[in-house]
Amino acid sequence: MKKFSWSLMSLILMLVMVLSACSSDNGKSGSENVLPEGSESGSATDTPSKPVDISVFAVQEQGIDLPTNKYTKHVEEMFNINFNFELVPSDGAKEKRQISLASGDYPDAYILTHYIDQFSQADLLKFGKQGVIVPLNDLIDKYAPNIKAAMESNSDLKTLNTAPDGNIYGLVAYTQCFHCSYPSKMWINTGWLDKLNLEMPKTPEEFKNVLKAFKTQDPNGNGKADEVALSGSTEEFGVRVLPFLMNGFVYNDDRNYLNMANNKVESAAIKPEWKEGLAYVKSLYDEGLIDPGAFTQNAEAFKKIGENADAEILGAGAGMHPAIFIDLAGPRSANYNPVPPLQGPKGAFATHDNGGVSPGGKFVITNKASEEAQIALIKLADYMYTAEGQTNAGSGMKGIDWEDPAPGDKALGEGVEPKVKTIPGVEGEEPRNAGWSGMGHFYMPKEYRDSWVQGTDILDPSNYERRLYEATLLYEGSEPKELFPLWSIWVDPAQIDEMSMLQTNIRNYIEQSSLQFVTGNKDLEKDWDSYVQGLKNLKLDRYLEILQSAYDASLKS
């Protein structure tokens, strides 16, 4: 999504419709994932005669007060629930959840905000085996027709929610996001291209020549050599410069550096093409065309380059979306437009992660919950698998934060019937406190998101989602035919700790070595063989073996 340093993205989530991570069944599922308008479970049928007290661990997001929240009151009345929230701030949420569980004095349920914290797959298996987390299978069968139907029509969702032992210990935040699914975009200053009479680059060499022109021909016209040809930052929302630059040479997934061929998982980072790609990036670095800060700075520092007060100095920026490094409402925003994947010697790939749905669970019920509480909780979750319930939960109540579309309104998706139209906020208005925001993100397949009304002026910040959607169309389909679906497999519980350790060590080694090769601290000719041997010493073969076993098992499930 994972994936996705979500604290930054949560700002965008509030500014535009919903920009959170997503997934699909290796690019193929989702065609039938349209949310129902409602069902029996989305009503007050079979509710208990008196309110059921339910304790819930949740993150308190800015501008939302859960106890007085309008959506809270709505579902309390709908399902005859009386919530007792155990609220924690975003900072340290994961640690506080772990302390809560370790204390033994944990609540009836955890309803988490996935881009801040959620249960990992290992967490779900661990606490499920201990009996702390209650399997949801029977509850879903009896009381959650919308969840059941969604999993039956969407094999990816079913895989994400179903542990290897067949139990559903928690529900993932299934937030399909088209633009998030191609995170490693490049945004170039087309105003500078026009000024220097340059065309949009189509190959790595053409891109290099454009960066040279940006660096040496004073496109900002201030008479100073202050231009930063290319920059980025170090987080995981498409801002690293290597993936886009490497993708003409070898597919770079910007996560774990895995390729797939004939149903066999491989490491991209030991291929000759990886070496060739690093040589290209090194040539850019050696000529001063890549900002050295791109390998060390955070997004805040990156934005200071894009929004430099003295002059416009940024030629190209890596990022899932340009608001990471530029003010959407500012005069420079229109200058930054997407560069299609560069056609290199081995292809023109685009990093694809199926939208960043992070495997794990945002919703679990514990063994502290009474039978009545368990039933009420699963009905609540099921309501959020309907279009009305999901929109009320994630975006705010109808009539307050959204309304039915008007004649002539256009949906984000081409040929899609518009169903949700946001009601813009008014400057100086108090927080509406009518929805749960990320805490309420349960089931937002692409078809649901595509049904939101968006204006057609892509430079209007209120239509930002359409700008990103159109940009992403340039990248769609450029991923390899085979991808290793790390986002939707379950590793054998007996191997999870080993896999996690290997994954961390190998990833760190690849990234540190890549930086050393690019900056010249390691020599690509003299040190390549020892680098490859270093990966073998870190048990790369064993890591790939574990992943292959998990993939093979997923094919049989």
Side-chain angles (χ1 to χ4, degrees):
M1 157 200 99
K2 274 154 162 164
K3 324 218 113 266
F4 203 58
S5 290
W6 290 105
S7 57
L8 174 65
M9 287 305 297
S10 62
L11 173 61
I12 305 302
L13 282 158
M14 292 187 290
L15 292 175
V16 298
M17 28 183 263
V18 190
L19 305 180
S20 58
C22 50
S23 176
S24 65
D25 186 17
N26 209 11
K28 292 177 280 193
S29 72
S31 61
E32 299 179 359
N33 298 341
V34 182
L35 277 74
E37 296 301 324
S39 73
E40 288 187 5
S41 72
S43 68
T45 58
D46 300 322
T47 54
S49 57
K50 61 180 181 178
V52 179
D53 291 328
I54 298 179
S55 56
V56 174
F57 181 101
V59 174
Q60 183 73 68
E61 290 195 72
Q62 186 175 3
I64 297 174
D65 180 66
L66 285 171
T68 63
N69 185 268
K70 296 177 181 67
Y71 181 72
T72 299
K73 298 302 181 184
H74 172 65
V75 291
E76 281 185 327
E77 180 178 347
M78 188 173 193
F79 299 107
N80 212 3
I81 292 171
N82 180 32
F83 283 120
N84 177 22
F85 288 108
E86 181 183 332
L87 299 175
V88 299
S90 299
D91 291 343
K94 179 178 180 179
E95 291 76 13
K96 290 179 173 64
R97 170 176 60 83
Q98 292 170 332
I99 292 170
S100 167
L101 287 159
S103 71
D105 185 22
Y106 46 82
D108 298 324
Y110 291 79
I111 307 179
L112 305 175
T113 302
H114 63 104
Y115 47 80
I116 295 173
D117 175 45
Q118 67 173 352
F119 287 84
S120 67
Q121 288 180 325
D123 289 335
L124 295 175
L125 290 168
K126 172 185 174 182
F127 293 113
K129 298 294 185 185
Q130 292 177 357
V132 172
I133 291 176
V134 175
L136 304 177
N137 306 53
D138 290 343
L139 290 167
I140 290 172
D141 282 342
K142 293 178 182 178
Y143 305 106
N146 297 307
I147 298 174
K148 187 175 181 179
M151 289 197 293
E152 287 175 351
S153 68
N154 183 341
S155 60
D156 185 35
L157 177 66
K158 183 177 181 180
T159 298
L160 285 161
N161 282 337
T162 309
D165 62 6
N167 282 321
I168 300 171
Y169 293 113
L171 298 178
V172 73
Y174 194 78
T175 54
Q176 281 193 310
C177 165
F178 179 53
H179 80 261
C180 310
S181 63
Y182 293 88
S184 298
K185 300 182 183 72
M186 184 63 66
W187 304 85
I188 198 165
N189 192 323
T190 51
W192 286 6
L193 288 180
D194 293 342
K195 184 172 183 179
L196 300 178
N197 294 315
L198 299 171
E199 294 184 353
M200 179 69 71
K202 296 181 178 64
T203 68
E205 195 59 31
E206 289 180 6
F207 188 64
K208 181 177 181 178
N209 290 334
V210 165
L211 295 182
K212 282 183 183 178
F214 285 174
K215 184 75 174 177
T216 62
Q217 296 183 25
D218 191 29
N220 66 13
N222 67 354
K224 301 177 182 178
D226 56 353
E227 286 83 359
V228 176
L230 168 63
S231 194
S233 58
T234 60
E235 296 89 349
E236 292 189 359
F237 33 90
V239 287
R240 294 195 253 186
V241 298
L242 275 182
F244 180 85
L245 299 175
M246 294 283 282
N247 269 329
F249 301 87
V250 61
Y251 179 64
N252 184 335
D253 64 10
D254 193 29
R255 290 293 188 278
N256 294 285
Y257 312 105
L258 300 172
N259 284 186
M260 195 82 178
N262 300 317
N263 281 332
K264 298 297 180 184
V265 62
E266 304 172 338
S267 173
I270 60 173
K271 293 185 173 185
E273 295 88 349
W274 187 267
K275 180 181 178 182
E276 188 178 357
L278 288 178
Y280 167 70
V281 179
K282 183 180 187 309
S283 75
L284 301 181
Y285 186 85
D286 287 347
E287 296 190 38
L289 305 179
I290 301 178
D291 171 24
F295 300 106
T296 58
Q297 69 194 4
N298 60 19
E300 183 179 357
F302 181 21
K303 191 161 189 175
K304 288 181 180 178
I305 297 173
E307 284 295 313
N308 180 64
D310 296 332
E312 187 173 26
I313 62 173
L314 182 63
M320 182 184 295
H321 59 93
I324 294 168
F325 60 84
I326 201 76
D327 182 359
L328 289 181
R332 297 174 187 171
S333 175
N335 287 343
Y336 292 93
N337 292 287
V339 184
L342 301 175
Q343 178 64 55
K346 303 299 181 181
F349 297 123
T351 300
H352 182 58
D353 68 357
N354 278 1
V357 169
S358 299
K362 67 161 282 98
F363 171 89
V364 304
I365 299 175
T366 76
N367 59 2
K368 301 280 189 178
S370 66
E371 181 180 357
E372 283 187 327
Q374 291 181 28
I375 293 171
L377 283 162
I378 203 66
K379 286 185 175 184
L380 167 66
D382 194 64
Y383 174 56
M384 288 184 277
Y385 270 67
T386 69
E388 177 191 290
Q390 177 57 87
T391 311
N392 284 339
S395 304
M397 294 294 293
K398 185 175 184 179
I400 298 174
D401 286 295
W402 67 281
E403 60 188 354
D404 292 328
D409 283 337
K410 184 176 175 60
L412 175 65
E414 190 64 35
V416 175
E417 179 187 353
K419 293 185 176 180
V420 178
K421 182 177 184 178
T422 57
I423 299 174
V426 178
E427 187 175 354
E429 178 184 30
E430 289 294 317
R432 293 169 176 174
N433 196 32
W436 282 358
S437 190
M439 179 182 164
H441 292 175
F442 274 71
Y443 189 54
M444 298 190 290
K446 184 176 184 295
E447 287 70 20
Y448 166 74
R449 294 174 62 104
D450 280 359
S451 71
W452 285 57
V453 170
Q454 278 277 283
T456 55
D457 179 4
I458 64 172
L459 296 180
D460 182 337
S462 65
N463 302 328
Y464 190 45
E465 184 83 357
R466 188 177 299 281
R467 180 178 180 180
L468 302 183
Y469 194 99
E470 292 184 2
T472 306
L473 291 174
L474 300 175
Y475 295 78
E476 184 182 26
S478 295
E479 66 273 18
K481 292 181 180 178
E482 286 189 273
L483 293 173
F484 185 72
L486 190 63
W487 51 81
S488 62
I489 63 169
W490 289 74
V491 173
D492 185 330
Q495 298 175 336
I496 283 180
D497 289 342
E498 179 186 9
M499 191 279 291
S500 297
M501 181 183 69
L502 293 174
Q503 183 182 56
T504 299
N505 292 340
I506 289 168
R507 174 175 176 168
N508 288 343
Y509 180 78
I510 291 171
E511 293 178 355
Q512 291 167 8
S513 297
S514 296
L515 178 57
Q516 289 173 323
F517 282 130
V518 167
T519 58
N521 291 325
K522 280 187 177 181
D523 187 281
L524 273 168
E525 297 306 321
K526 295 179 181 178
D527 298 323
W528 179 258
D529 290 343
S530 62
Y531 155 73
V532 172
Q533 185 59 48
L535 277 172
K536 293 184 181 296
N537 293 342
L538 289 172
K539 301 182 179 180
L540 175 64
D541 290 342
R542 173 58 178 160
Y543 174 57
L544 297 177
E545 178 186 12
I546 293 172
L547 294 179
Q548 187 70 51
S549 296
Y551 175 75
D552 292 343
S554 72
L555 297 180
K556 299 173 184 176
S557 60

